[in-house]
């Protein structure tokens, strides 16, 4: 193994990091003393020096679920470093040595420009000659493999054990259970674990586990990644990807240009679920999660009828985001999810539930009689003076009282409001989430003074 040192860095940063460049010839470790001064071009030149035969124009890193993210600019490099620092901190908090930052060069066939920025690269002899290093390297690369592809396999085989989870803090409490931020020690990653108490027979437990199997197959950037579920005594724990921005219900009024990008993700997520013949059944702001990378993902969709039924026996009430046909107990289908999209986005745009006579105190479950106005009255309309025509039309279409008059899945994706914001600009959401989190932290700090 070669060790590569990047020498163009100053000593201003409090601590350095190790970047592991994964090449077909092996791993190259680069120690970077001042990551904040590192720029995309310098790193690219360093990569080209260790892969002179290839044209490298970009590289990738793996996120917490093993998906590859491409880096092509200084901005994307910054996002990668900030993701890596978070992971490093989590590992330290849990008493672990941080893994190096692994990057995977994306190589073409023709030779590239070499070291135009004059970056000095010192290659060192292969430390594998030294037995101690060799053992450590093997262990390190094993653990790294575990934290990506192998981990995904372990997790998706349902091998997360209760004793390997460190619970860190409570993220929230819903109508069925409590969600915790947790750390999976073996997988070295942060999880969200939803714990639901259920007094049911072992037979029913088995049925729920088999109904949840479809979650392993869900693979969409707009759907929360499911890792595993297990029963301990009379509680089921469902482990999923953690989203550091939390759910949309805790954000105040969301500006339309941000909401537009969020709507694109939600509609994409639902279209994906519908393509698998899964109805979400619980579309509402608290089941739309965001992160500081600007991703928006749906969670808590009802794939297990047994699980939904078992929870419903304990928590009685009707969900305020349900379509009129569901409130009045009629048959329903995809169009009921479309209504819930409409009412959710109306609430997020206004910063209040669109039926003022319905006071939601805790959660979204209400006595049926209180929701009768949703069945009886004309649906509310967004004020045209405050919102764009396209947005108002989108909401109005989704909230048609007659299910068949609401847009069908394809029409939803083709709505002019969705088309307008379907530009792949995750930065808008990312910046908005970061700003809101900062504001929240500042307010909390003030409250503590
Ligand atoms: P319901 O039980 O009706 O779905 P709810 O969605 O408010 O209501 P939970 O699903 O139990 O309740 O979630 C509670 C809270 O935990 C959410 O509002 C959200 O803030 C947080 N949460 C849930 N899943 C995650 C996750 N994967 N990452 C980060 N936060 C999460
Ligand atoms: Mg939820």
């Amino acid at each position: 193994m070669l060790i590569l040192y990047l020498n163009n860095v100053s000593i201003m940063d409090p601590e350095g990091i190790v970047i592991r460049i994964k090449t077909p010839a092996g791993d190259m470790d680069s120690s970077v003393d001042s990551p904040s001064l590192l720029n995309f071009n310098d790193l690219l030149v360093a990569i080209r020096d260790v892969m002179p035969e290839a044209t490298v124009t970009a590289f990738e890193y793996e996120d917490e679920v093993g998906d590859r993210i491409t880096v092509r600019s200084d901005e994307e490099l910054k996002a990668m470093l900030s993701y890596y620092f978070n992971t490093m901190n989590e590992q330290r908090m849990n008493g672990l040595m941080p893994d190096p930052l692994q990057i995977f060069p994306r190589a073409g066939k023709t030779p590239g420009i070499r070291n135009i920025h004059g970056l000095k690269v010192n290659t060192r002899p292969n430390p594998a000659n030294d037995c101690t290093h060799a053992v450590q390297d093997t262990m390190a690369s094993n653990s790294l493999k575990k934290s990506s592809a192998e981990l995904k396999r372990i997790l998706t085989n349902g091998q997360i054990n209760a004793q390997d989870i460190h619970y860190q803090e409570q993220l929230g409490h819903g109508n069925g259970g409590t969600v915790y931020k947790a750390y999976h020690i073996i997988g070295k990653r942060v999880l969200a674990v939803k714990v639901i108490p259920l007094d049911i027979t072992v037979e029913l437990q088995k049925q729920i586990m088999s109904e949840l199997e479809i979650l392993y197959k869900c693979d969409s950037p707009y759907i929360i990644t499911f890792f595993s579920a297990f029963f301990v005594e009379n509680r089921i724990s469902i482990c999923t990807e953690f989203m550091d921005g939390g759910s949309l219900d805790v954000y105040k009024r969301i500006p339309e240009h941000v909401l537009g990008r969020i709507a694109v993700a939600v509609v994409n997520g639902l279209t994906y679920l519908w393509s698998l013949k899964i109805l979400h059944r619980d579309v509402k702001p608290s089941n739309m999660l965001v992160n500081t990378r600007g991703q928006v993902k749906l969670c808590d969709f009802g794939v297990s009828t047994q699980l939904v039924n078992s929870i419903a026996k304990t928590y009685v009430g009707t969900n305020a985001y349900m379509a009129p046909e569901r409130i009045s107990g009629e048959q329903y289908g995809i169009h009921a999810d479309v209504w819930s999209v409409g009412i959710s986005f109306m609430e997020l745009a206004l910063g209040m539930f669109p039926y003022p006579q319905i006071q939601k105190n805790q959660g979204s479950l209400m006595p049926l009689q209180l929701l009768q106005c949703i069945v009886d009255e004309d649906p509310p309309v967004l004020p045209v003076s405050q919102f764009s025509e396209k947005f108002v039309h989108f909401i109005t279409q989704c909230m048609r009282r007659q299910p068949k008059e609401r847009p069908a899945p394809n029409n939803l994706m083709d709505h002019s409001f969705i088309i307008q914001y379907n530009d792949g600009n995750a930065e808008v959401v990312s910046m908005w989430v970061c700003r809101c989190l900062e504001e929240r932290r500042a307010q909390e700090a003030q409250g503590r003074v």
Side-chain angles (χ1 to χ4, degrees):
M1 176 196 277
L2 291 169
I3 298 208
L4 171 89
Y5 287 93
L6 299 179
N7 289 338
N8 69 330
V9 288
S10 87
I11 48 164
M12 276 165 63
D13 281 310
E15 59 177 341
I17 60 169
V18 175
I19 298 183
R20 177 163 295 168
I21 307 172
K22 309 285 284 183
T23 81
D27 297 348
M28 315 285 172
D29 281 1
S30 321
S31 73
V32 180
D33 295 336
S34 306
S36 64
L37 297 182
L38 187 64
N39 68 41
F40 173 72
N41 270 332
D42 288 339
L43 188 48
L44 208 55
V45 170
I47 296 172
R48 285 171 181 162
D49 267 298
V50 295
M51 293 175 70
E53 75 292 353
T55 311
V56 180
T57 52
F59 55 88
E60 296 173 335
Y61 64 102
E62 280 183 344
D63 70 5
E64 60 274 28
V65 287
D67 286 341
R68 294 275 179 95
I69 318 280
T70 307
V71 177
R72 286 188 220 84
S73 64
D74 284 338
E75 283 304 300
E76 288 170 345
L77 178 87
K78 261 191 219 139
M80 172 183 80
L81 288 173
S82 108
Y83 162 73
Y84 176 67
F85 288 136
N86 280 341
T87 316
M88 230 167 113
N89 284 341
E90 291 288 347
Q91 291 179 343
R92 289 227 174 91
M93 267 165 52
N94 288 284
L96 298 163
M97 277 287 290
D99 292 328
L101 167 57
Q102 290 198 101
I103 59 172
F104 304 82
R106 273 178 42 171
K109 286 199 179 76
T110 48
I113 316 155
R114 300 273 311 276
N115 208 1
I116 50 170
H117 297 271
L119 183 73
K120 285 192 195 120
V121 178
N122 300 329
T123 50
R124 290 265 177 98
N126 189 346
N129 297 336
D130 169 333
C131 288
T132 337
H133 276 105
V135 171
Q136 281 171 353
D137 280 347
T138 317
M139 282 171 62
S141 74
N142 278 347
S143 74
L144 280 171
K145 271 199 208 109
K146 268 215 180 81
S147 65
S148 54
E150 197 182 336
L151 172 76
K152 202 166 183 178
R153 186 181 58 74
I154 291 173
L155 293 179
T156 51
N157 279 343
Q159 291 178 10
I160 291 188
N161 293 314
Q163 65 270 22
D164 297 329
I165 295 178
H166 268 187
Y167 290 89
Q168 293 179 339
E169 63 184 273
Q170 188 175 317
L171 294 172
H173 186 74
N175 296 308
T178 308
V179 181
Y180 299 90
K181 182 179 177 187
Y183 192 75
H184 184 230
I185 301 155
I186 296 175
K188 294 185 187 165
R189 80 164 60 170
V190 184
L191 304 173
V193 184
K194 185 166 193 168
V195 183
I196 309 169
L198 287 177
D199 272 318
I200 52 170
T201 60
V202 174
E203 270 318 300
L204 274 186
Q205 288 187 3
K206 280 191 192 146
Q207 197 179 330
I208 290 175
M209 293 302 282
S210 85
E211 284 179 340
L212 290 179
E213 289 228 327
I214 189 158
L215 292 179
Y216 292 121
K217 294 190 195 120
C218 282
D219 184 13
S220 155
Y222 310 106
I223 301 292
I224 206 83
T225 305
F226 169 78
F227 294 131
S228 179
F230 53 83
F231 273 93
V232 175
E233 295 167 2
N234 64 342
R235 295 184 307 275
I236 184 170
S237 297
I238 301 173
C239 307
T240 61
E241 169 186 8
F242 168 70
M243 297 287 278
D244 62 359
S247 51
L248 291 184
D249 56 321
V250 294
Y251 289 83
K252 292 187 211 110
R253 215 183 236 260
I254 305 176
E256 189 179 320
H257 71 285
V258 178
L259 217 41
R261 268 84 186 198
I262 295 176
V264 170
V266 167
V267 170
N268 263 313
L270 285 175
T271 309
Y272 176 78
L273 289 179
W274 295 332
S275 75
L276 297 178
K277 308 248 177 311
I278 299 172
L279 291 190
H280 189 296
R281 293 191 169 89
D282 202 9
V283 175
K284 56 182 177 181
S286 71
N287 288 337
M288 299 172 189
L289 301 166
V290 285
N291 66 20
T292 46
R293 281 162 48 191
Q295 294 175 308
V296 182
K297 305 195 181 196
L298 294 173
C299 68
D300 287 348
F301 37 99
V303 287
S304 164
T305 319
Q306 267 316 332
L307 183 59
V308 173
N309 289 346
S310 308
I311 295 172
K313 280 190 189 123
T314 328
Y315 294 87
V316 187
T318 309
N319 180 334
Y321 298 88
M322 277 182 186
E325 65 272 21
R326 285 187 73 181
I327 294 175
S328 46
E330 291 159 35
Q331 283 209 328
Y332 64 91
I334 282 177
H335 294 96
D337 276 351
V338 176
W339 168 279
S340 307
V341 170
I343 191 166
S344 298
F345 278 86
M346 194 164 181
E347 177 177 32
L348 294 170
L350 293 171
M352 56 176 274
F353 196 66
Y355 290 82
Q357 62 274 53
I358 298 175
Q359 299 288 326
K360 289 195 291 101
N361 293 324
Q362 277 197 325
S364 51
L365 290 188
M366 314 276 298
L368 189 56
Q369 312 82 280
L370 287 184
L371 299 179
Q372 195 57 35
C373 56
I374 296 178
V375 181
D376 297 338
E377 288 177 13
D378 283 339
V381 180
L382 272 179
V384 279
S385 54
Q386 292 171 37
F387 300 96
S388 74
E389 213 175 291
K390 287 176 183 168
F391 187 27
V392 175
H393 185 262
F394 176 75
I395 301 291
T396 310
Q397 289 299 103
C398 290
M399 290 183 74
R400 292 245 172 221
R401 223 159 6 144
Q402 288 305 321
K404 291 270 155 61
E405 291 175 7
R406 294 174 211 147
N410 288 344
N411 299 348
L412 212 53
M413 226 28 236
D414 294 340
H415 191 282
S416 56
F417 175 64
I418 298 298
I419 291 174
Q420 181 185 348
Y421 289 109
N422 196 1
D423 56 4
N425 190 344
E427 207 158 307
V428 172
V429 179
S430 161
M431 276 162 50
W432 168 78
V433 171
C434 292
R435 209 187 51 240
C436 293
L437 292 181
E438 273 302 312
E439 281 171 12
R440 222 181 282 166
R441 261 179 231 130
Q443 276 168 7
E444 279 167 14
Q446 265 184 352
R448 277 199 295 271
V449 175

